[in-house]
Amino acid sequence: MDQHEHSHHHEHEHGHCHDHEHEHEHSHGHSHGHGHVHSHESKTAVVNRLARAIGHLEKVKRMVQEDVDCSEVLTQLAAVRGALNNTAKLILQDHIAHCVVDAVAEGDDRTVADLVAAIDKFIK
């Protein structure tokens, strides 16, 4: 049976973004440290979009291997980049609507700072 130790626990009515550290000791003898838990409403949509983008990128790879015209390859790469950007927007919207709102309500400035840093990395 697994034993769980938590430094502190947050209950959220919608089950999103618990910002705490905890250790799990499993029956196999080692523990795992975790940050906050993500259980977003848009998870299925994000996974599906990523799967489509991966498939599209595989197609672009085959185009390069088959010596397809460079302008066509670039056009398809732009489409993949657009799909990834739209997926990122969906993740960002969900994160703001749930995790960041919860963090602000709890006075957690770290989550907002982490979001700013993540946006900065993404936009580069």
Side-chain angles (χ1 to χ4, degrees):
M1 175 152 71
D2 291 353
Q3 296 176 1
H4 302 280
E5 294 181 26
H6 298 276
S7 59
H8 54 103
H9 183 71
H10 296 282
E11 290 289 332
H12 298 283
E13 63 189 31
H14 54 73
H16 295 277
C17 292
H18 305 275
D19 193 13
H20 60 279
E21 292 294 325
H22 56 268
E23 292 289 324
H24 297 285
E25 185 177 294
H26 300 282
S27 59
H28 54 274
H30 67 277
S31 62
H32 301 280
H34 298 283
H36 59 272
V37 176
H38 293 278
S39 178
H40 297 291
E41 295 170 3
S42 61
K43 182 177 183 176
T44 300
V46 168
V47 169
N48 290 341
R49 286 176 182 222
L50 289 172
R52 283 192 302 272
I54 289 167
H56 197 162
L57 193 55
E58 287 291 334
K59 178 183 175 190
V60 174
K61 179 180 166 186
R62 284 190 304 275
M63 290 172 69
V64 171
Q65 290 169 333
E66 296 168 1
D67 295 321
V68 172
D69 181 68
C70 293
S71 61
E72 291 180 41
V73 171
L74 289 170
T75 298
Q76 293 305 311
L77 280 174
V80 171
R81 184 177 55 211
L84 291 174
N85 284 340
N86 286 333
T87 303
K89 285 183 210 174
L90 183 59
I91 292 169
L92 181 60
Q93 290 167 349
D94 195 46
H95 184 59
I96 290 170
H98 299 289
C99 302
V100 175
V101 167
D102 289 347
V104 169
E106 295 171 7
D108 176 9
D109 294 334
R110 180 176 163 227
T111 297
V112 175
D114 289 347
L115 173 62
V116 170
I119 290 170
D120 185 51
K121 289 176 186 175
F122 184 78
I123 291 176
K124 284 184 181 179

